[in-house]
Amino acid sequence: MPVSDAVLRRLHELISRVADMKSQIERGPKQIQTALNQLQSAKDAVSQCKDAIKQKKMEADRKQLLQREREAKLFEWQGKLNGAKNDREFQAVKDQLAADNQANNVLSDEILEVLEAIDGLQVRLKDLEAKLATAESDTAKAETRIRERLISLGGDLARAESELTVAEADIPGDFIDAYRRIVESRGPEAMAPLDDKSCGGCNTGLTMRAIDQLRLGNPITCSSCGRLIYRPES
């Protein structure tokens, strides 16, 4: 029994629409997860910066404690210097005092560097926290938008599938099994329009006999890609 080009065109349109909607619905959760991953990255960046500040503060505390201990030692050396009994002892204490003073100056520079690093990290933390707040807002909006879109797509998909079921009722009984095999195997790639004298899917040229059969309304498939061929609307 012949199958009209109009029926195949409509079926191809609906099959393609259903496949596209299903693809969009499948992408929805992935899009939400991508947004959540980006949010988590922003949270991790804030957490890492806070940890770095904590470590630097602990380092500063250790160095400042060491500095206080060295300053106490310097005070001791100063006392010994003042109480030196001879020139030899005086010079030894003086040399030790100079060495400890030098070491303490180096330590002071190190403490300053750590404090400057803390200041830089705190500036960075403010920036990261602002970015996190933006990410939280954007993620919430994206999740709401995507979920609303999925609900809308679900309704559209149900309607398109219903339309497809109605359209499939126009397929002749002696062709329905072949149609279902091709569609189940190829999905939206199951059909293609005739493009001049070639398959619109793979561009393979069709024989004159095949084109004649198509004009008579007899279903034909491309000998190369296996798609069902239909004539486009004039």
Side-chain angles (χ1 to χ4, degrees):
M1 187 179 296
V3 182
S4 73
D5 293 310
V7 168
L8 292 179
R9 279 197 302 268
R10 178 62 173 160
L11 289 170
H12 193 198
E13 175 195 346
L14 289 170
I15 290 168
S16 298
R17 192 193 307 172
V18 166
D20 179 62
M21 289 178 187
K22 286 182 176 179
S23 177
Q24 291 185 59
I25 290 172
E26 288 175 0
R27 289 198 301 270
K30 296 177 183 178
Q31 292 171 332
I32 291 175
Q33 189 58 53
T34 296
L36 291 174
N37 289 343
Q38 292 174 342
L39 175 59
Q40 188 59 51
S41 294
K43 289 180 178 179
D44 291 343
V46 168
S47 179
Q48 290 167 6
C49 190
K50 287 181 176 180
D51 286 344
I53 290 173
K54 181 179 179 181
Q55 293 300 320
K56 284 295 181 182
K57 284 183 175 180
M58 290 173 62
E59 181 182 354
D61 289 343
R62 287 194 300 270
K63 289 182 180 294
Q64 287 170 335
L65 176 59
L66 179 58
Q67 186 181 47
R68 289 193 292 271
E69 290 174 351
R70 286 186 176 178
E71 286 172 350
K73 192 66 176 177
L74 287 172
F75 184 77
E76 277 185 43
W77 285 121
Q78 189 62 51
K80 289 181 180 179
L81 184 68
N82 295 335
K85 296 178 181 178
N86 52 58
D87 291 345
R88 182 178 178 182
E89 183 181 347
F90 180 87
Q91 189 59 48
V93 173
K94 184 179 179 181
D95 290 345
Q96 186 61 54
L97 184 61
D100 283 1
N101 259 318
Q102 180 61 33
N104 213 33
N105 288 337
V106 171
L107 183 58
S108 293
D109 291 340
E110 291 175 355
I111 291 171
L112 181 60
E113 287 178 4
V114 174
L115 294 177
E116 288 175 346
I118 291 172
D119 289 341
L121 286 169
Q122 287 175 332
V123 170
R124 175 169 170 73
L125 178 60
K126 288 182 180 180
D127 180 59
L128 290 173
E129 287 176 333
K131 289 180 178 178
L132 173 58
T134 299
E136 287 174 334
S137 175
D138 290 347
T139 299
K141 291 176 183 177
E143 190 169 1
T144 298
R145 183 179 65 253
I146 293 168
R147 292 193 186 284
E148 289 175 349
R149 176 62 176 158
L150 289 175
I151 292 172
S152 176
L153 281 169
D156 292 343
L157 175 61
R159 285 188 289 274
E161 288 179 327
S162 178
E163 290 178 38
L164 179 58
T165 299
V166 172
E168 287 177 337
D170 292 330
I171 301 174
D174 58 353
F175 180 60
I176 189 68
D177 289 341
Y179 160 82
R180 293 196 185 283
R181 281 197 301 271
I182 295 174
V183 170
E184 288 173 4
S185 173
R186 304 183 65 91
E189 300 298 317
M191 303 180 201
L194 180 68
D195 184 7
D196 192 12
K197 295 180 181 180
S198 300
C199 169
C202 69
N203 298 318
T204 298
L206 302 179
T207 65
M208 288 306 301
R209 184 177 182 281
I211 293 174
D212 287 340
Q213 289 295 313
L214 192 59
R215 288 176 183 147
L216 294 173
N218 296 320
I220 67 166
T221 57
C222 174
S223 60
S224 177
C225 68
R227 287 179 173 91
L228 276 170
I229 305 298
Y230 59 85
R231 291 181 297 175
E233 193 170 7
S234 300

